[in-house]
Amino acid sequence: MDVSSKIQDARLRLVGPEPWSGRRIAGESALALPLALVAAGVTRLADGGLVLPALVALAVLALSPLRRRFPSSVLIATAALSGAAAGATLLLLVVACSAGRRIAGAGKALAAFCAAFAGYLLALLLTESGGGPLLVISLFSALFFMVIAVVPGLASRYWYQRRTLLQTMQERNAQLLRERAMVAGQARLRERQRIAQDMHDSLGHQLALISVHTGALEVDPALTGRQREAVGVLREASVAAMHELRAVVGILRDGVEAPEHHTDEAQRAARGTAGVEPLVAAARAAGTTVELRETGEPRQLAPASDHAAYRIVQEALTNAYKHAPGAPIGVELRYEPDALVVEVVNGPAAGPPPNEVVSGGQGLTGLHERARLVGGMVHTGRTGDGGFRVAGVLPYGAPEATTFVDAADDFRQQPSALPPGDGGATGATGTGRHQAGRHVGWDVDLNVAERELAMSSRSRAGGVALGCGIAFAVVVLLAVAAGVGLFFLAGSADKAMIDPAEYKDIKVGASEQEVRGRLPDGDTFLTTGLPGKGPAEPAGSSCLVLMSSEVGDSVRTEPVFRFCFKDGKLIEKQSYEVER
């Protein structure tokens, strides 16, 4: 491998397979430069020189951009640098947050943070001037490292994993909904094809027989003129029913309207508001009293709304024939400013209805659905005199222009599934078996989505509770450690400090036993390194060095009191400051 390949390989290892964008370079520079300046400034205050702050700043500039590419190595190196130079502490916090979210696996993260703490403690012990008890230094180092590195790393790791989990759950939920929608769509398509085949095989055959027989009966010379006219009405109705059946079968089978070449413009218009008058005329010819009224200025309707108006009148007349034979019927078309109102009202039945009335019970439900699909609504119910009223409100324009939503037809209020044996009741609002069956696929999808989102919410709540529990445990641990440390520090301070007034009260020449009885023994880590830093001790004497309860004139110096004993007496006492 030549030198250029080695250089290229090293560059890829450092920056990664993708080149840095200008935005990333600017962001890394904006982060690394302030960290380097802070590190240099803090080190300068603590050391007083220029070389060490410059080296620390260069190290920070080098480690900061590499924290994403090598999270474990940079964490360990930064921890060791922080132990040797306090100025790199802020970088340690940033690197710990980055390592917490980027180190894969809890075991690797634990090993990396433990190695980082070991490096931090080792560097601290090697650079500590004067030394001290290892247990005390380790305790305070662990406390400090936990606050600066471990807690931010845990918080960053928890936040990143929670965000990743939520994104994964949302993607999975969206995928499940798409799959369920596809499965439901395929099931509906198969069912529609089956229904279309059944309608074509059964109803098509029966209507063809009716058309043939009524055609033959119409030319029978034995019929009177009125009878021949009635037979002609039946033949025309059967032919129209065959055309409509063909269109419905095409919609069920292919999801589109039947080809228009089977129906001319006059036939299409006859299935809209223009066909209402022939419907009324056919009803009158059958001997039913029907009154047709049109009010307002007629306006052009959208094809779907126009056909819905025709179907409302047709279904209402059919119901009146079945359930109230002989009752007068009123049909009204009111062209309101924003919608067409179609109203069909029949009076009470003149006599008892026939014993056997063939009815599927789905006509009114179909009207509700048809009106809803075009943005309108249908109301059905009894009148005060015992009759029945069917009224529909249909917009003039496309369904998106105006939306009327009947509460009974709102698919969000439909049951997600029908219980076995329960077809649903059909009341004044027309909600029944057909309506529930039509929307059962949607309801299943919506309920599944709601359950998925509820599970996601519970998972988020559990994650938040777990994170809060971890944070609470860390805070309790820190509080206990801080309490123990403060208690230990207070006890050590009692063994190492005296007031300046007490120093003045002690006189040279007093017995050693009396003086030592008044003073603490100084056997604590706080006084470690103090003896030998002041003026030379008297020959053959043993000295006790204690700290002052007052602070010195400089943050680098510590005021101390020294008591020297010889031959059982206090032969010297001095007050001076030493550098820590």
Side-chain angles (χ1 to χ4, degrees):
M1 183 180 290
D2 55 4
V3 177
S4 61
S5 299
K6 292 182 179 180
I7 295 175
Q8 182 69 14
D9 184 62
R11 190 187 72 83
L12 289 177
R13 289 185 179 182
L14 288 176
V15 302
E18 297 182 358
W20 283 21
S21 62
R23 181 178 180 181
R24 181 174 178 182
I25 293 175
E28 291 293 342
S29 301
L31 177 64
L33 290 176
L35 290 176
L37 292 176
V38 171
V42 174
T43 307
R44 175 74 172 81
L45 291 175
D47 181 70
L50 293 177
V51 177
L52 184 59
L55 293 177
V56 172
L58 290 177
V60 170
L61 288 175
L63 291 173
S64 178
L66 298 177
R67 70 187 187 282
R68 303 188 184 199
R69 184 67 177 160
F70 308 101
S72 300
S73 302
V74 173
L75 175 63
I76 297 172
T78 305
L81 179 63
S82 301
T89 302
L90 187 59
L91 176 64
L92 177 60
L93 189 148
V94 175
V95 171
C97 291
S98 180
R101 61 175 294 187
R102 286 182 170 83
I103 298 177
K108 293 182 179 180
L110 179 62
F113 275 88
C114 290
F117 174 69
Y120 173 81
L121 183 60
L122 180 62
L124 185 65
L125 292 176
L126 292 177
T127 57
E128 179 70 18
S129 59
L134 180 61
L135 179 61
V136 176
I137 295 178
S138 301
L139 176 62
F140 281 96
S141 299
L143 197 61
F144 180 78
F145 188 81
M146 183 175 293
V147 173
I148 295 298
V150 177
V151 173
L154 283 175
S156 176
R157 189 176 187 86
Y158 163 73
W159 176 82
Y160 177 73
Q161 290 181 346
R162 178 179 178 273
R163 188 184 67 174
T164 304
L165 177 62
L166 290 181
Q167 291 177 350
T168 304
M169 292 182 66
Q170 290 172 356
E171 293 175 359
R172 180 175 177 273
N173 183 60
Q175 181 180 359
L176 285 175
L177 290 180
R178 288 194 297 268
E179 292 176 356
R180 293 179 193 279
M182 293 174 60
V183 171
Q186 292 175 356
R188 286 195 295 268
L189 182 60
R190 289 194 298 268
E191 183 66 15
R192 286 166 59 175
Q193 290 176 346
R194 185 187 65 79
I195 295 173
Q197 188 64 38
D198 291 345
M199 293 177 63
H200 179 272
D201 294 343
S202 59
L203 294 180
H205 176 70
Q206 299 297 333
L207 290 175
L209 287 179
I210 293 174
S211 178
V212 170
H213 285 290
T214 52
L217 186 61
E218 187 177 9
V219 297
D220 190 347
L223 296 180
T224 63
R226 181 173 178 80
Q227 291 174 337
R228 186 173 289 105
E229 182 181 356
V231 172
V233 171
L234 292 177
R235 184 180 61 81
E236 292 177 359
S238 64
V239 172
M242 290 180 64
H243 285 296
E244 294 181 3
L245 177 63
R246 186 179 296 112
V248 172
V249 168
I251 294 174
L252 287 175
R253 180 176 295 164
D254 304 323
V256 297
E257 294 282 354
E260 291 294 335
H261 62 270
H262 295 292
T263 307
D264 57 18
E265 188 66 30
Q267 288 177 324
R268 288 197 300 270
R271 295 168 60 186
T273 53
V276 172
E277 187 171 353
L279 282 177
V280 173
R284 290 171 179 168
T288 304
T289 302
V290 184
E291 180 184 359
L292 175 63
R293 297 187 302 275
E294 293 188 26
T295 58
E297 182 179 355
R299 294 178 56 179
Q300 184 69 29
L301 278 79
S305 298
D306 196 33
H307 188 57
Y310 176 82
R311 288 300 188 191
I312 290 174
V313 176
Q314 185 184 48
E315 181 64 26
L317 290 176
T318 301
N319 286 342
Y321 301 156
K322 292 179 180 179
H323 303 288
I329 305 173
V331 179
E332 183 177 5
L333 301 179
R334 294 200 304 272
Y335 292 90
E336 302 289 348
D338 55 350
L340 170 65
V341 178
V342 181
E343 186 174 10
V344 180
V345 182
N346 63 270
N355 293 330
E356 294 184 0
V357 177
V358 179
S359 176
Q362 308 304 321
L364 297 181
T365 301
L367 292 185
H368 283 276
E369 175 66 10
R370 185 181 294 273
R372 189 188 68 82
L373 292 177
V374 300
M377 61 180 295
V378 169
H379 172 76
T380 60
R382 293 287 180 182
T383 60
D385 59 355
F388 199 80
R389 175 176 178 268
V390 178
V393 182
L394 304 172
Y396 293 121
E400 294 80 9
T402 308
T403 302
F404 299 93
V405 180
D406 190 358
D409 292 329
D410 190 352
F411 69 86
R412 291 170 296 181
Q413 299 183 10
Q414 300 296 330
S416 60
L418 292 177
D422 185 6
T426 302
T429 58
T431 302
R433 183 193 307 268
H434 177 73
Q435 188 77 355
R438 179 183 290 270
H439 297 301
V440 65
W442 290 355
D443 293 325
V444 169
D445 290 343
L446 286 175
N447 290 338
V448 168
E450 291 172 357
R451 288 196 297 269
E452 292 283 347
L453 292 177
M455 291 174 60
S456 176
S457 299
R458 288 194 294 269
S459 299
R460 288 197 295 268
V464 171
L466 179 60
C468 293
I470 293 175
F472 179 74
V474 170
V475 170
V476 171
L477 180 61
L478 291 177
V480 172
V484 172
L486 290 176
F487 177 78
F488 183 78
L489 184 62
S492 299
D494 291 338
K495 296 179 180 180
M497 291 184 180
I498 62 173
D499 294 331
E502 189 173 1
Y503 168 77
K504 294 179 181 179
D505 289 342
I506 297 176
K507 304 299 181 181
V508 177
S511 65
E512 181 179 357
Q513 183 178 3
E514 178 187 355
V515 175
R516 288 187 180 275
R518 295 179 58 182
L519 299 176
D521 57 11
D523 185 15
T524 175
F525 75 96
L526 294 178
T527 61
T528 303
L530 295 180
K533 288 188 176 182
E537 299 179 357
S541 64
S542 62
C543 298
L544 173 63
V545 182
L546 300 175
M547 300 171 59
S548 174
S549 60
E550 295 182 354
V551 296
D553 298 333
S554 175
V555 294
R556 298 184 181 180
T557 60
E558 179 75 32
V560 297
F561 303 120
R562 188 178 70 182
F563 303 89
C564 295
F565 304 95
K566 185 178 181 182
D567 298 332
K569 292 185 179 182
L570 177 64
I571 62 173
E572 181 188 63
K573 68 173 186 177
Q574 286 195 13
S575 174
Y576 54 90
E577 292 187 354
V578 298
E579 289 189 0
R580 297 294 285 179

